[in-house]
Amino acid sequence: GPEIDRSWTGDRAEFIGRNGSLSFPAALKRKRLSNTTGAQYNPCGAMQVKVYLPPQGERTINILVGAASSKEQVREYMRKYGRSTGVEAAYKNVRKYWSDLLGRVQVTTPDRGFDLLLNKWLLYQTVTCRLWARSAFYQSGGAYGYRDQLQDVLALLHARPGFARKQILLHAAHQYSEGDVQHWWHEETGYGIRTRFSDDLLWLPYAACRYVKHTGDQRIWKHRVPFLESPPLEEQELERYEQAEVSMETGTLYEHCVRAIERALRFGEHGLPLMGTGDWNDGMSEIGAGGAGESVWLGWFLYHVLQEFIPFAVKQKDMDRAERYTAICNELNIALNEHGWDGQWYRRAYNDQGDPIGSITNAECQIDCIAQAWGVISGAAELDKAILAMNSLDNKLVRREEGALICLLTPPFNKTEPSPGYIQAYPQGIRENGGQYTHGTIWAVVAWAKLGQGNKAYDLFRILNPINQTRTYNEVQRYKVEPYVMAADVYSVPPHAGRGGWTWYTGSAGWMYQAGLEWILGLRREGARLYLRPCIPEDWPEFTVRYWYGQTRYEIKVENPERKQTGGTYLELDGERLEDVEAGILLVNDGEEHQVLLIL
């Protein structure tokens, strides 16, 4: 076509104009820009392109935005993308990449909002924001969090198990030879932070067990990975930012996991694990900083990790360890149900002074969500206590009125002495301090599903689904953030009750996906077997899942004629009835299409 008439400026003052604003910049009144660039300006990048459009005509304009380290690289990009064919090919490849990744599992349920999240948005958010960018509007960090990305990749076990394998081995390499780990690190500089967090290291065996159980890949245990080394933290040192050395010493992944667990086996006077400068809740940084505070939540988590790890220890012929861990589990179980129990729910912690947190005796933080949910998830809570605790969670932490949300804890911290940590510096009802800290509240969905309560699990999932916060103009004005991605938190206190906080950069995306697919729809894979254990609301008549295994498509239909919440009564594969409904189906990668029918 005709030569394009273009001009540009690198001067923000020229573009916006004196006393101008971005809603009506001065440049829009000019015939062309001055083609000025240089170091002395307040910089911007503005380009004006004039296009002639004949009547009924159509033109496509491609706008390239890029960054390059040299002029040669710029020329290389221009050669590749300077023509529309290059741009079209790249666009096509990107679309294909996402349809391949997101298309591995596609669900159709009676809830359109549920489908939109599970089929598209949750995995997209997890991969682009959490695994690749590690950055978003509210936090431009770029670091890997030790516990963070290990949890994120678990959502990709069905679609891309290789992502999880790679991530697990990467994190193993950020463990010190003493067993503790870098709380976070920057891959580009090698700098990270050594801390006294008590849970970080345990996410390595947690993720490794989940990965091996899902894929059947037992070889990963033998994979050798180096340790990091630096002088251990001094007695008074709570953390140190440093460039750690890579040790000459290596260990198998199994040995890395063992070191993490051994390091975590430190208990206080109630027989509960020591909290350190924070367990999963970083903001509770002072509860155990003195070395005596204990965490009830960490007790559940440690119990769960040991339970998952023991069968693998047996497979590795590590019998003494398996027996010792079994004995520790038994003691932990007693301590948790005795000293963790508060009468109507489970406590959250004991501080360095030995006082309970998350108890009816506290004026602030009487009940904490994750201490109830993980009691159930771990399987260690006694059933009658577990049900009472979850009902207390439902009564005290779930708000169903306008701007429905689930609080992480209530009431928020404000004047607690001694201070529980920097959580108290957050305004009340914001982030971890009594807001809906979404990552932790999703575990309540998993807990209800584990108890077979499909109505409750789905009810909470629906409250957490951002699409349901933005159905009307008024809801949009209240929620104020994107309806298609998870928000890290939702504020719970007026005047901002119901407003979404940090979006995109949150581990809640990966957990929301797992809660929806593995717990509500109940699809869980173990090696070449797919188990179907749905836990759905009784008013769902049916749902379908298209599930890819290698190059093979499984069309799974679940029918609910008797309005049940759980429990399969009839299972059929390719028209033939299977005797044992509980045994799931054997997946075969034969390139054919298979039909599965489950009747509740």
Side-chain angles (χ1 to χ4, degrees):
E3 188 48 44
I4 294 177
D5 179 359
R6 70 169 66 132
S7 59
W8 63 84
T9 181
D11 175 8
R12 192 181 297 245
E14 176 191 339
F15 181 75
I16 296 175
R18 199 169 147 195
N19 304 330
S21 76
L22 284 173
S23 57
F24 190 40
L28 293 186
K29 289 194 270 201
R30 298 184 51 157
K31 291 255 167 80
R32 55 184 302 125
L33 298 170
S34 63
N35 291 359
T36 338
T37 56
Q40 71 270 39
Y41 301 111
N42 181 357
C44 76
M47 186 183 283
Q48 182 198 70
V49 177
K50 293 180 184 158
V51 181
Y52 172 72
L53 261 187
Q56 308 294 322
E58 185 179 296
R59 291 193 71 177
T60 302
I61 298 170
N62 296 313
I63 300 170
L64 300 185
V65 180
S69 50
S70 66
K71 280 194 172 165
E72 282 65 51
Q73 203 178 2
V74 173
R75 289 193 190 101
E76 173 56 35
Y77 287 156
M78 287 312 296
R79 269 198 300 279
K80 200 167 172 186
Y81 302 117
R83 294 195 186 80
S84 58
T85 47
V87 175
E88 280 156 20
Y91 183 58
K92 207 167 148 186
N93 286 340
V94 164
R95 290 190 63 116
K96 184 179 180 328
Y97 178 88
W98 287 112
S99 68
D100 285 352
L101 175 63
L102 305 179
R104 300 293 294 174
V105 183
Q106 289 285 302
V107 310
T108 310
T109 72
D111 178 351
R112 177 99 175 95
F114 185 97
D115 300 352
L116 282 167
L117 276 198
L118 249 66
N119 292 339
K120 288 203 169 67
W121 284 105
L122 292 173
L123 281 191
Y124 180 78
Q125 180 177 358
T126 301
V127 174
T128 54
C129 192
R130 298 284 301 178
L131 296 177
W132 290 352
R134 300 185 298 287
S135 186
F137 305 121
Y138 304 95
Q139 183 188 18
S140 271
Y144 279 105
Y146 198 89
R147 62 163 93 90
D148 302 63
Q149 278 73 26
L150 280 174
Q151 292 172 75
D152 295 328
V153 290
L154 297 175
L156 286 148
L157 283 175
H158 295 272
R160 287 283 186 280
F163 275 37
R165 187 176 199 280
K166 209 170 101 192
Q167 202 71 38
I168 287 164
L169 296 172
L170 174 70
H171 287 240
H174 286 266
Q175 179 183 39
Y176 293 95
S177 49
E178 291 81 4
D180 57 331
V181 300
Q182 285 187 319
H183 182 55
W184 52 256
W185 73 88
H186 279 184
E187 201 64 15
E188 297 74 12
T189 62
Y191 274 85
I193 187 165
R194 189 171 194 172
T195 69
R196 295 186 185 278
F197 279 93
S198 55
D199 73 312
D200 285 343
L201 68 180
L202 285 171
W203 290 100
L204 181 69
Y206 176 84
C209 290
R210 282 273 308 263
Y211 167 80
V212 176
K213 201 170 176 175
H214 181 99
T215 59
D217 171 14
Q218 297 286 347
R219 286 178 320 208
I220 193 173
W221 293 121
K222 300 251 188 292
H223 198 97
R224 295 199 80 81
V225 185
F227 292 93
L228 294 179
E229 60 184 31
S230 78
L233 295 173
E234 303 284 336
E235 192 145 333
Q236 295 311 311
E237 226 181 343
L238 294 180
E239 59 182 42
R240 185 195 312 133
Y241 179 63
E242 64 183 12
Q243 195 168 18
E245 293 295 309
V246 177
S247 169
M248 295 303 290
E249 185 189 3
T250 66
T252 62
L253 177 67
Y254 180 78
E255 285 161 1
H256 278 264
C257 290
V258 161
R259 279 198 205 185
I261 292 170
E262 292 296 333
R263 174 82 184 205
L265 298 176
R266 300 175 173 198
F267 301 94
E269 61 170 331
H270 297 94
L272 302 170
L274 294 178
M275 186 151 177
T277 51
D279 52 13
W280 171 84
N281 194 328
D282 293 1
M284 293 184 170
S285 51
E286 299 288 331
I287 290 177
E294 302 162 278
S295 166
V296 174
W297 173 80
L298 186 64
W300 302 128
F301 185 50
L302 175 60
Y303 178 93
H304 184 66
V305 168
L306 290 172
Q307 288 289 322
E308 294 297 310
F309 192 74
I310 288 165
F312 293 118
V314 172
K315 266 206 172 77
Q316 299 290 322
K317 314 240 182 311
D318 195 355
M319 300 314 284
D320 290 353
R321 196 178 309 278
E323 280 170 30
R324 188 160 62 88
Y325 287 176
T326 304
I328 291 169
C329 279
N330 294 338
E331 285 166 33
L332 201 46
N333 193 322
I334 293 164
L336 283 160
N337 283 293
E338 196 169 308
H339 299 297
W341 183 245
D342 195 60
Q344 290 170 288
W345 56 81
Y346 286 99
R347 295 172 177 176
R348 178 66 176 79
Y350 285 94
N351 64 17
D352 285 324
Q353 292 70 30
D355 304 322
I357 309 281
S359 161
I360 193 83
T361 59
N362 300 123
E364 299 167 0
C365 184
Q366 289 184 345
I367 180 170
D368 185 297
C369 176
I370 68 172
Q372 321 316 317
W374 272 88
V376 176
I377 296 168
S378 67
E382 292 163 8
L383 189 60
D384 53 341
K385 287 179 178 167
I387 290 167
L388 185 52
M390 287 302 293
N391 282 321
S392 297
L393 180 158
D394 208 62
N395 294 332
K396 292 189 170 290
L397 295 172
V398 181
R399 301 201 188 152
R400 291 183 173 80
E401 65 274 14
E402 199 194 3
L405 53 87
I406 306 166
C407 301
L408 184 68
L409 56 87
T410 202
F413 286 110
N414 184 24
K415 299 191 173 79
T416 293
E417 284 291 327
S419 167
Y422 77 75
I423 187 171
Q424 191 150 285
Y426 283 128
Q428 293 176 63
I430 306 272
R431 293 191 62 72
E432 289 101 321
N433 193 14
Q436 172 183 295
Y437 198 72
T438 317
H439 182 155
T441 56
I442 291 169
W443 288 331
V445 175
V446 175
W448 278 126
K450 193 152 180 175
L451 289 170
Q453 303 270 349
N455 293 338
K456 294 253 196 216
Y458 172 69
D459 180 38
L460 298 197
F461 189 97
R462 217 187 52 223
I463 289 172
L464 294 170
N465 185 342
I467 293 170
N468 296 328
Q469 300 292 351
T470 50
R471 286 166 304 193
T472 64
Y473 177 78
N474 285 350
E475 286 177 344
V476 169
Q477 292 307 310
R478 186 193 62 237
Y479 187 61
K480 286 189 188 301
V481 290
E482 302 94 330
Y484 42 82
V485 289
M486 299 302 292
D489 63 319
V490 180
Y491 308 161
S492 67
V493 171
H496 301 304
R499 176 187 291 195
W502 291 17
T503 54
W504 282 103
Y505 196 53
T506 160
S508 59
W511 275 108
M512 192 74 165
Y513 187 79
Q514 294 173 68
L517 184 67
E518 304 209 350
W519 291 96
I520 292 177
L521 301 185
L523 263 74
R524 269 169 268 163
R525 206 186 111 195
E526 289 184 22
R529 290 203 90 80
L530 185 67
Y531 294 92
L532 304 174
R533 298 173 180 142
C535 185
I536 57 172
E538 59 194 23
D539 60 6
W540 276 15
E542 62 177 45
F543 69 86
T544 58
V545 181
R546 173 171 293 175
Y547 189 94
W548 286 87
Y549 177 68
Q551 274 63 60
T552 307
R553 193 166 101 192
Y554 281 83
E555 295 285 350
I556 301 164
K557 186 168 191 186
V558 177
E559 293 180 357
N560 186 17
E562 293 181 23
R563 298 295 183 255
K564 294 265 191 5
Q565 295 174 59
T566 57
T569 53
Y570 176 88
L571 180 63
E572 168 183 296
L573 174 62
D574 294 329
E576 293 194 15
R577 182 174 185 175
L578 300 176
E579 283 309 306
D580 188 358
V581 179
E582 281 297 296
I585 56 166
L586 187 63
L587 297 167
V588 185
N589 188 14
D590 58 8
E592 304 286 317
E593 186 183 307
H594 298 283
Q595 307 290 331
V596 179
L597 172 66
L598 176 72
I599 299 175
L600 295 191

